[in-house]
Each structure stands twice: as structure tokens, then as C-alpha cells.
Amino acid sequence: MKKRWIPLLLIGLVVFLGGCAKAIPTKEAAALFVDRLIYQKETEKFEANFKDGAKLTETFEEQEQSFQENFTAGLLSTDSGLSQETANEISQLVMNQVKEKTSYTIDVAETDNIRNVTYHVKGLDFVALMSQTTQAITAQMLKDTSLAKDEAKLAQALVTQLKTALADAPVKSEAVDVLLEMRPEKGKWTLVDGQQEQLQSLYLAFVAGVKDEKTLKADWATAQEKLAEELAKELQ
């Protein structure tokens, strides 16, 4: 009879140890989160260490697709004559630079069972990128007035200048701070509910170097004013 209990005891021990599985360290989990969200790496490891990891992966992919679609739509709405294919290409080049040039550090503070993870992100300086492109195009138009009248020629010049700027894409010198709340749960990590805005802020910090769209619009408006002033001085 005693021998019959041994397998049952072993099964019980395995179940007990499985229930006591320990989640990976907080900073490792926080880095893994960004590796998947921004850099599209470590998918299997992410899904193995985050609760509903597969569902989160789908959310991340939708977020990147949304950004690229919005960026592409913005290019096409400039009446520059860009084709959909070219706009998509430029959008992908932007994302490639985000993955190659951006960086971040992490700080962690614990409150009860919650981990307050602060990302300090040095993202792509999107406003500087577009300012450089605009300056270059404006300079070309001043030298060649026919450029503004030839849609195809202008579109090609815009593509060339965007690619040139992207080849050495500027990165923010000051970090943008974004706080996310996470917690370990049964050996895996999970995000505290209700942080969609924070997730969007984290993504925007990497791709544009700002925390929200309001700041991005305000910075671009300021940059445009400065560009207009510089152009006015050149025309005097």
C-alpha cells in the first residue's frame, strides 16, 4: 500500500512546485516587454513570461500597424504626389531607425504587489527629422523654382531628402519618462488594467521622442514657425 502512495506524492509535489513557480526578475520582465513592443524580438520568451502574452503580442502588432498607417496617411495628405508604395517604404524606414537608434533605461519601485516600472526613453526625434527634410526641400525649391510646379519631381525630391535624413536619424538627447504598472502572478507577469494611455505614451516616446500627440503637434507647430522665420530672412 505504501508503494502505491509514492506516485501520488510525486504528482502532488510536482503540482505544488508548479504552483510556486517564480516570475523572472522585474527589470528582466520590463526589458522583455519593450523588446517585444518596440523591437519585435523575443516573442516566444515574452509569451512564456507574460500572462495573455499572445493577446498582448497581437495588440502590439496592431499598434505598430496603426502608427504606420497614420504616418503613411500623413505623407499622402501633403499633396506631394507620393505613391502608396513609396509612403509605405518611408514608413518602414522610420520604424527601422526606431529599432536601430533608440535606447532606454529602467527604474523599478515596489508598492505591495505592484511594480512601478519607469522607462527613460531616448526616442527618435521626429520633429527634428521632419524639420531637416523640410529645410532641404525648401532650399531646393529656392534654387529651382520649377520644382514646385512639377508634382512628380517634387515627390522624388521629398523621398530623396527623407531617406537622407533617415540614414542619420536624430535621436532625442533628453529622455522621456513613462511609468507602467506590472505585477507578478503565478509565475508570470501581467500589466495592471487600465493603462492603454500609458502604453500609447511608451510607444510614442520611442517613435517620436514625446509622451503624447498634443506635445508632438505643439513641437511641430513651433518648428514650422521657426522654419517660416528662417525662410522669410532668406527671402529678404
Side-chain angles (χ1 to χ4, degrees):
M1 289 295 292
K2 289 183 179 179
K3 290 183 178 180
R4 293 179 182 178
W5 281 99
I6 292 176
L8 294 176
L9 287 171
L10 290 175
I11 291 172
L13 181 60
V14 170
V15 171
F16 173 76
L17 292 175
C20 294
K22 190 175 181 180
I24 60 176
T26 307
K27 281 196 173 183
E28 184 179 345
L32 184 59
F33 189 85
V34 164
D35 279 345
R36 186 59 195 86
L37 172 64
I38 303 298
Y39 302 115
Q40 295 182 334
K41 301 187 300 183
E42 302 287 5
T43 300
E44 290 185 9
K45 186 177 179 181
F46 172 78
E47 293 183 1
N49 285 281
F50 273 81
K51 182 181 177 182
D52 297 326
K55 187 175 181 180
L56 281 171
T57 294
E58 290 180 8
T59 300
F60 296 163
E61 290 173 351
E62 289 172 0
Q63 196 161 20
E64 178 170 13
Q65 183 178 357
S66 176
F67 169 78
Q68 289 185 317
E69 287 176 353
N70 289 335
F71 180 75
T72 299
L75 289 175
L76 294 173
S77 69
T78 59
D79 295 326
S80 60
L82 289 181
S83 68
Q84 181 74 48
E85 182 180 359
T86 300
N88 290 340
E89 179 190 1
I90 292 171
S91 175
Q92 188 57 56
L93 287 174
V94 171
M95 293 309 303
N96 290 344
Q97 288 302 298
V98 168
K99 293 167 187 174
E100 290 180 13
K101 298 286 185 67
T102 60
S103 62
Y104 67 97
T105 57
I106 299 169
D107 283 326
V108 176
E110 297 186 12
T111 304
D112 296 327
N113 194 40
I114 302 297
R115 307 294 186 269
N116 295 315
V117 178
T118 300
Y119 293 94
H120 308 287
V121 182
K122 290 186 177 180
L124 203 67
D125 192 337
F126 192 75
V127 169
L129 174 68
M130 297 310 295
S131 293
Q132 289 175 12
T133 302
T134 302
Q135 284 179 313
I137 287 293
T138 301
Q140 285 190 42
M141 292 175 69
L142 289 174
K143 290 180 180 179
D144 181 3
T145 55
S146 67
L147 192 62
K149 301 175 183 178
D150 189 330
E151 191 174 274
K153 191 176 179 181
L154 181 60
Q156 184 56 52
L158 177 60
V159 170
T160 300
Q161 291 304 327
L162 267 173
K163 288 183 176 180
T164 298
L166 281 167
D168 189 23
V171 175
K172 285 279 190 175
S173 58
E174 294 185 6
V176 172
D177 297 340
V178 181
L179 173 67
L180 279 184
E181 294 181 338
M182 302 180 183
R183 67 169 178 266
E185 187 177 292
K186 297 181 180 180
K188 292 192 175 186
W189 284 91
T190 184
L191 286 181
V192 175
D193 292 337
Q195 296 188 90
Q196 186 58 37
E197 186 176 333
Q198 288 89 330
L199 282 175
Q200 291 174 348
S201 292
L202 182 60
Y203 193 82
L204 201 56
F206 278 94
V207 301
V210 295
K211 200 169 184 177
D212 52 55
E213 290 187 10
K214 182 179 179 181
T215 301
L216 180 59
K217 290 177 180 178
D219 288 352
W220 178 232
T222 300
Q224 285 180 306
E225 289 178 6
K226 184 177 180 181
L227 289 170
E229 290 174 1
E230 292 175 353
L231 178 59
K233 289 179 181 179
E234 288 187 27
L235 294 175
Q236 285 180 352

